[in-house]
Amino acid sequence: MYAYVKKRLDESIIFQWLLSKIMSWLGGERSAVVGKLTGTYQGSLTCIDNRTGERYDVPIVNNSIPATAFTRMKAPPSSNNTAEHPEDGIVVYDSGFQNTAVTESKVTYVDGKSGKIQFRNWPIQELVGNKTYEDIAYMLNWGEFPSDKERETFRRALAATAGDPCNGAADVIHAFPRDGPPIMMLIAGCAGYVGDRSFLMPSHEGKNLYMGKMDEVDKRITEILAHCTTLVAHIFCHQHSMEWTPPDPNESYIYNLLLMMGKVDPKTKKPNPKHVNCLERLWVLYADHEMTNSTANYLHAASTLADPVSCGISAMASAYGPLHGGAIDMVYNMLREIGGKENIPPLIERVKQKKQRLYGYGHRIYKTTDPRSSIIRQILSELLEDGPNDPLLDIAMEIDRVASEDEYFTSRKLAANADLYGSFVYTALGFPPDIILPLAIVSRLPGLLAHWREAMLKLPNIWRPKQIFTGKVVA
């Protein structure tokens, strides 16, 4: 009974609001509520506005300050540029969100300096190989690992839901030419999915369906996790003129993904157990990565209270850009253009001369080795034991060897990132390059949905960033 009541209180928006007010009234060293930041009060930042001589003290909470505090720092209107509106306070300019936090979260922590990732309260090194992908999806969304009974119930629910052929979405996918881009098939398939289930759309239904309604949110999480594997399987089967295979209700999420895609042994008609194991470990690593570009896009759309599938479309649209997940396609195009190992030294020189970008190298967050990399390399090594390397993979490995020994790359801490090596795992599993990004997107769903669930527990707050107008204001 206690656990049930605590869970309901944790999920009550009104209770959380009241709790924040109580914390605010308590004040002191133990707690603080500043703007919409909650946490430990750590002192203050003192600012002096040299335009007016005014002094402002801004509380520091969790080593952060609320941007709205700067709206207090006002000055007389400017006669030079009326677009500045100094009387409304200072605007914080942060191109590319390089030092802006947009939400508070308990889902995932990434420390790029020390090379650390943890899901909730668990370092990823403790999870890979020890927990199933269903375990990770459950834990990210609901905070704890499932019991044996809960895991079995969750697994069966996923398999049963994935067994729905999603005819509306499948029809949209099959309308594409077979050689069309799979990422566009996935986006269109998701749109078809919502179009076939308009009851998922709050604006269509004329009411709030998700904010604070956690039973409905939890139901959609399971459905989306299941149906997106079905959509990717439909895409792959459409591309290769194969029949879609229904999932096995007694098997795991990863097993059923491979089964539905027709990635099975010709004799047994079942997925290779080693492939299931390797893909599961890879997907555990990929289940979330904190506030990525695509995660932020998902939450940006979610702040309007749009349905979770449409929010996913927003995330997918950003994910296929060449500076994000689309770098995978750029890498494979680059490897094809290189043609052979003898052409690698000229490539490296062009990169060093800043005449060419080396896609898949470096990462905005990590200043040391990505903790996922060594695990992914081990998975790749295991897969390569079974057969000859893909020619493109040979070229990629040679680029990595040369770059790892070159002072230009080592001094700048530029190394092949985890996403690049993960794409090689897909290649070793026999997947063509163009389906890798859709698979990678589906692997990230547990994290995206966990962040969405967290957002639905908060008060509505539409994301609406500002701009600085640099043109001329006409009279």
Side-chain angles (χ1 to χ4, degrees), residues 234-274:
H234 274 297
I235 291 167
F236 191 75
C237 291
H238 175 59
Q239 280 187 298
H240 299 277
S241 302
M242 300 188 303
E243 289 292 324
W244 174 75
T245 305
D248 185 332
N250 298 311
E251 289 293 349
S252 72
Y253 187 83
I254 300 297
Y255 179 102
N256 278 324
L257 171 68
L258 294 175
L259 179 66
M260 289 189 290
M261 295 181 77
K263 300 294 291 183
V264 296
D265 183 281
K267 295 180 180 179
T268 65
K269 304 298 181 183
K270 297 180 179 180
N272 183 324
K274 183 174 183 178

Side-chain angles (χ1 to χ4, degrees), residues 42-67:
Q42 297 168 323
S44 64
L45 174 71
T46 299
C47 302
I48 297 177
D49 189 338
N50 290 322
R51 300 170 302 176
T52 63
E54 291 289 335
R55 167 179 167 150
Y56 301 90
D57 292 315
V58 181
I60 299 172
V61 178
N62 294 337
N63 195 38
S64 59
I65 58 175

Side-chain angles (χ1 to χ4, degrees), residues 111-124:
D111 184 342
K113 287 188 176 180
S114 63
K116 177 180 180 181
I117 301 175
Q118 70 180 56
F119 293 162
R120 298 286 183 177
N121 299 322
W122 294 273
I124 59 167

Side-chain angles (χ1 to χ4, degrees), residues 10 22 28 34 134 152 165 199 205 306 314 318 343 363 384 402 469:
D10 287 343
I22 293 171
V34 183
E134 291 94 331
E152 184 63 22
F199 58 83
E205 295 297 295
S314 176
S318 70
N343 297 321
H363 198 285
L384 294 180
V402 173
F469 180 68

Side-chain angles (χ1 to χ4, degrees), residues 293-309:
N293 180 281
S294 47
T295 303
N297 267 282
Y298 192 105
L299 292 177
H300 206 128
S303 75
T304 70
L305 303 187
D307 70 89
V309 180

Side-chain angles (χ1 to χ4, degrees), residues 128-438:
V128 180
N130 295 319
K131 295 294 182 180
T132 68
Y133 187 69
E134 291 94 331
D135 288 334
I136 301 303
Y138 193 100
M139 175 268 290
L140 285 172
N141 280 279
W142 294 291
E144 298 290 344
F145 287 114
S147 65
D148 291 342
K149 182 179 180 180
E150 288 169 332
R151 182 189 303 107
E152 184 63 22
T153 300
F154 186 45
R155 173 177 286 187
R156 285 185 174 274
L158 290 170
T161 306
D164 177 353
C166 302
N167 289 326
D171 290 342
V172 172
I173 291 168
H174 293 153
F176 275 76
R178 295 188 191 277
D179 60 353
I183 183 63
M184 288 301 156
M185 295 186 197
L186 181 58
I187 289 173
C190 286
Y193 178 87
V194 179
D196 199 37
R197 295 167 169 79
S198 58
F199 58 83
L200 297 175
M201 302 171 62
S203 57
H204 185 272
E205 295 297 295
K207 59 183 178 181
N208 166 41
L209 297 179
Y210 307 110
M211 178 65 70
K213 300 180 181 297
M214 304 318 294
D215 288 342
E216 189 70 16
V217 167
D218 292 343
K219 181 180 179 181
R220 300 308 165 204
I221 288 172
T222 301
E223 289 179 354
I224 293 169
L225 285 171
H227 280 144
C228 280
T229 59
T230 307
L231 295 184
V232 170
H234 274 297
I235 291 167
F236 191 75
C237 291
H238 175 59
Q239 280 187 298
H240 299 277
S241 302
M242 300 188 303
E243 289 292 324
W244 174 75
T245 305
D248 185 332
N250 298 311
E251 289 293 349
S252 72
Y253 187 83
I254 300 297
Y255 179 102
N256 278 324
L257 171 68
L258 294 175
L259 179 66
M260 289 189 290
M261 295 181 77
K263 300 294 291 183
V264 296
D265 183 281
K267 295 180 180 179
T268 65
K269 304 298 181 183
K270 297 180 179 180
N272 183 324
K274 183 174 183 178
H275 289 184
V276 173
N277 177 270
C278 287
L279 186 58
E280 179 156 67
R281 284 185 285 157
L282 180 69
W283 277 33
V284 165
L285 291 170
Y286 281 172
D288 191 39
H289 202 230
E290 206 200 66
M291 192 54 56
T292 65
N293 180 281
S294 47
T295 303
N297 267 282
Y298 192 105
L299 292 177
H300 206 128
S303 75
T304 70
L305 303 187
D307 70 89
V309 180
S310 296
C311 297
I313 292 172
S314 176
M316 292 172 196
S318 70
Y320 78 76
L323 295 184
H324 197 13
I328 294 171
D329 291 330
M330 302 295 287
V331 167
Y332 278 92
N333 287 332
M334 178 187 71
L335 296 177
R336 293 188 192 97
E337 290 174 1
I338 292 171
K341 294 180 181 180
E342 67 278 4
N343 297 321
I344 292 176
L347 165 73
I348 296 296
E349 286 305 310
R350 289 196 300 275
V351 172
K352 291 161 67 173
Q353 295 169 12
K354 302 187 185 303
K355 295 181 179 179
Q356 183 171 344
R357 176 186 287 271
L358 189 58
Y359 285 96
Y361 275 72
H363 198 285
R364 178 157 155 176
I365 297 299
Y366 293 104
K367 307 306 178 186
T368 185
T369 304
D370 185 329
R372 300 171 298 176
S373 295
S374 60
I375 302 173
I376 295 175
R377 285 173 183 253
Q378 176 59 37
I379 295 170
L380 180 59
S381 176
E382 292 173 20
L383 289 169
L384 294 180
E385 293 172 354
D386 296 339
N389 295 355
D390 183 287
L392 296 182
L393 190 54
D394 286 339
I395 295 172
M397 300 298 279
E398 179 62 12
I399 292 174
D400 189 47
R401 186 193 67 78
V402 173
S404 67
E405 297 174 357
D406 192 299
E407 191 271 341
Y408 175 89
F409 291 90
T410 57
S411 64
R412 292 167 173 77
K413 301 185 185 299
L414 294 174
N417 59 47
D419 293 326
L420 177 62
Y421 266 96
S423 69
F424 299 156
V425 170
Y426 286 114
T427 298
L429 286 167
F431 288 108
D434 62 358
I435 198 67
I436 293 175
L437 181 55

